[in-house]
Amino acid sequence: MCLSATVSFTASALLTAGGAAIIVKAARSNWRYLPIGLMPLFAGIQQFTEGFVWVGVNGGDHATMVWGAMGFIFFTWFMWPFWIPFSVWVLEPPDSRRRPWFLAMTGVGLLLGLLLYIPHGFGTDWLVVTVNRDSLAYENSMLLDQFLPRWVSYALYVFLIIAPPALSRYRHMRHFALTVAVVVIFDVTLLRYAYISFFCLLAGLATIHLAWIILTNKCAEECPELFGHAAPGRV
């Protein structure tokens, strides 16, 4: 998280514990919930790695800072652009005409994630972490900067994390898309001085919305043939 190692590790513990419980619920309810059920756990692991960024920055330990930062941006740049459309693809009913589009977005997200993340492992000078207003600011150089304006990369990233749930057949997944959109707008308008760190914190908290969808089995309201009374693992 943005404020300190203690806060990051505390947020990690809460999200990880809650995420583990949601995974169990998802597995028992319907396997189609599993990909979105993993997202709170992933957010908890991401906060855990950012705790080590703080440890490295505060202790002057460059290796620990880099290790933590590489773990943190693994989720930021690599995981979320493809995992969100993949999760929506899994959740979507088999007869949905939107499924091929979600699968295509998953492929685009995977490619984008690889291009955004992997080059940072070739040289740590691409990754600069500073403390700005008591928050961590990740000043990344990106491979795509050599070919595209940075705003184009960001626009594609935002599209891949909002468009899939926004286009889902399920009303409550469309509501989740609104939650993510609010997070993005709030982040870029008020928290630009450490927008990457704050975005991942707020997005992690937004996964509580997904936990609520799973706990209350909201998909059963619109697709009872898949999420109604079928036995887990047999739909």
Side-chain angles (χ1 to χ4, degrees):
M1 193 185 285
C2 324
L3 303 175
S4 69
T6 300
V7 178
S8 292
F9 289 134
T10 300
S12 172
L14 294 174
L15 285 168
T16 302
I22 293 302
I23 292 170
V24 173
K25 174 63 177 178
R28 291 176 176 174
S29 296
N30 192 297
W31 68 270
R32 295 178 184 276
Y33 280 132
L34 277 174
I36 66 169
L38 282 165
M39 288 172 63
L41 176 63
F42 289 161
I45 297 173
Q46 184 175 27
Q47 290 302 313
F48 181 76
T49 60
E50 189 164 45
F52 281 99
V53 179
W54 275 115
V55 170
V57 168
N58 292 334
D61 186 340
H62 184 73
T64 299
M65 184 275 290
V66 170
W67 176 87
M70 289 297 292
F72 179 79
I73 65 172
F74 171 82
F75 291 95
T76 305
W77 295 130
F78 176 70
M79 281 292 296
W80 300 131
F82 87 87
W83 191 263
I84 291 178
F86 170 73
S87 300
V88 177
W89 175 76
V90 171
L91 199 64
E92 197 76 358
D95 62 345
S96 172
R97 295 181 179 180
R98 303 166 188 175
R99 292 193 89 229
W101 291 103
F102 297 146
L103 190 59
M105 291 180 196
T106 300
V108 173
L110 181 60
L111 178 60
L112 178 67
L114 290 171
L115 291 174
L116 291 177
Y117 179 71
I118 286 182
H120 291 88
F122 297 149
T124 56
D125 57 323
W126 277 50
L127 180 61
V128 178
V129 182
T130 59
V131 178
N132 190 2
R133 302 189 199 177
D134 298 321
S135 301
L136 292 174
Y138 297 83
E139 304 299 333
N140 300 74
S141 295
M142 294 182 178
L143 177 65
L144 291 179
D145 289 345
Q146 302 176 41
F147 310 100
L148 298 170
R150 179 68 67 91
W151 70 267
V152 174
S153 299
Y154 284 170
L156 179 57
Y157 180 96
V158 170
F159 173 81
L160 289 169
I161 64 174
I162 294 179
L167 295 172
S168 172
R169 176 182 293 188
Y170 302 108
R171 181 177 70 257
H172 292 283
M173 287 303 294
R174 297 196 295 271
H175 293 170
F176 174 68
L178 290 176
T179 298
V180 178
V182 169
V183 166
V184 171
I185 293 170
F186 185 80
D187 186 53
V188 300
T189 55
L190 299 178
L191 304 169
R192 289 188 64 85
Y193 59 91
Y195 65 97
I196 295 176
S197 184
F198 277 112
F199 168 74
C200 293
L201 163 63
L202 297 173
L205 296 177
T207 62
I208 296 173
H209 192 158
L210 296 175
W212 176 73
I213 290 173
I214 295 171
L215 289 172
T216 55
N217 195 15
K218 287 299 181 182
C219 292
E221 297 176 3
E222 298 170 84
C223 194
E225 63 271 23
L226 288 182
F227 293 92
H229 303 288
R234 300 183 65 84
V235 295

